Amino acid sequence: MPVLARMVPAPLAVEIRPGALADLPAVLSDRRISTSGRVAVAVSATSGAAVEAYLRERLGAADFFAVGSGRVESAHRLADEIRASRYDAVVGVGGGKVLDVTKYAAARLGLPMVSVAANLAHDGLGSPVAVLDNEAGRGSYGVPAPLAVVVDLDLVRSAPARTLRAGVGEALSNLSAVRDWRLSHAVN
């Protein structure tokens, strides 16, 4: 098997702790993802206003874009909006829909992506896959893995209770999926 086929993409930086969102500018500059601070930040159209206001103070050279749906057309639209200016990187802040749309848009533009989780009801924070709705239903698209993953535990704790429960369910389903695979492999 070729060496490239055995490589596992992984983020360069993973920050998980209370208050991690405040250090996003340092993650961008210290990891040389964006030394100029010129980044495009994608947030949820429905719940991203508070995060956007918080980050505007810290990321002065950033521009913000709203993500309204988890459709492939939304990712194309985001890529087109970002293409209109010059950025060092794309930052997605939100849940699975926002992060997957952002990963796909960044891949279309050839820009590095940083994943900032607003909740943990999504297991693809650092994965090289974007799951988007399309005309045929839902598809998984191969994309570069985010260069950095930031999980602010204070932000995650402030998510609605149903989102917190969904995150626990997501973690448990991944554990049982591995057991299901092993059982199927042993039986079949």
Side-chain angles (χ1 to χ4, degrees):
M1 178 181 297
V3 173
L4 287 177
R6 291 182 278 158
M7 294 177 68
V8 178
L12 294 175
V14 177
E15 298 285 331
I16 303 172
R17 61 182 157 45
L21 191 58
D23 293 333
L24 180 59
V27 170
L28 293 170
S29 63
D30 292 351
R31 297 296 180 157
R32 292 184 175 54
I33 297 167
S34 174
T35 54
S36 72
R38 194 76 187 114
V39 294
V41 182
V43 297
S44 170
T46 57
S47 60
V51 171
E52 179 178 338
Y54 180 83
L55 287 176
R56 275 193 186 279
E57 296 177 18
R58 288 156 180 79
L59 298 172
D63 290 323
F64 291 81
F65 302 88
V67 174
S69 78
R71 297 192 55 79
V72 71
E73 294 86 4
S74 183
H76 285 244
R77 189 170 32 261
L78 178 61
D80 291 342
E81 291 172 353
I82 292 171
R83 185 180 288 115
S85 292
R86 189 172 182 89
Y87 299 102
D88 298 330
V90 183
V91 178
V93 183
K97 173 178 62 176
V98 172
L99 297 180
D100 283 348
V101 165
T102 305
K103 283 193 275 188
Y104 186 92
R108 284 185 60 89
L109 298 168
L111 290 173
M113 189 268 186
V114 174
S115 178
V116 180
N119 65 64
L120 297 180
H122 178 259
D123 67 352
L125 299 175
S127 78
V129 176
V131 179
L132 300 171
D133 294 329
N134 57 45
E135 307 80 35
R138 182 166 281 174
S140 295
Y141 301 88
V143 296
L147 282 186
V149 172
V150 176
V151 180
D152 185 326
L153 296 177
D154 294 329
L155 183 60
V156 169
R157 281 187 197 104
S158 71
R162 65 180 174 73
T163 306
L164 296 172
R165 287 191 298 268
V168 171
E170 185 78 34
L172 292 174
S173 72
N174 285 336
L175 295 172
S176 67
V178 171
R179 302 283 270 174
D180 288 344
W181 178 84
R182 286 184 180 153
L183 177 62
S184 175
H185 184 269
V187 172
N188 295 322

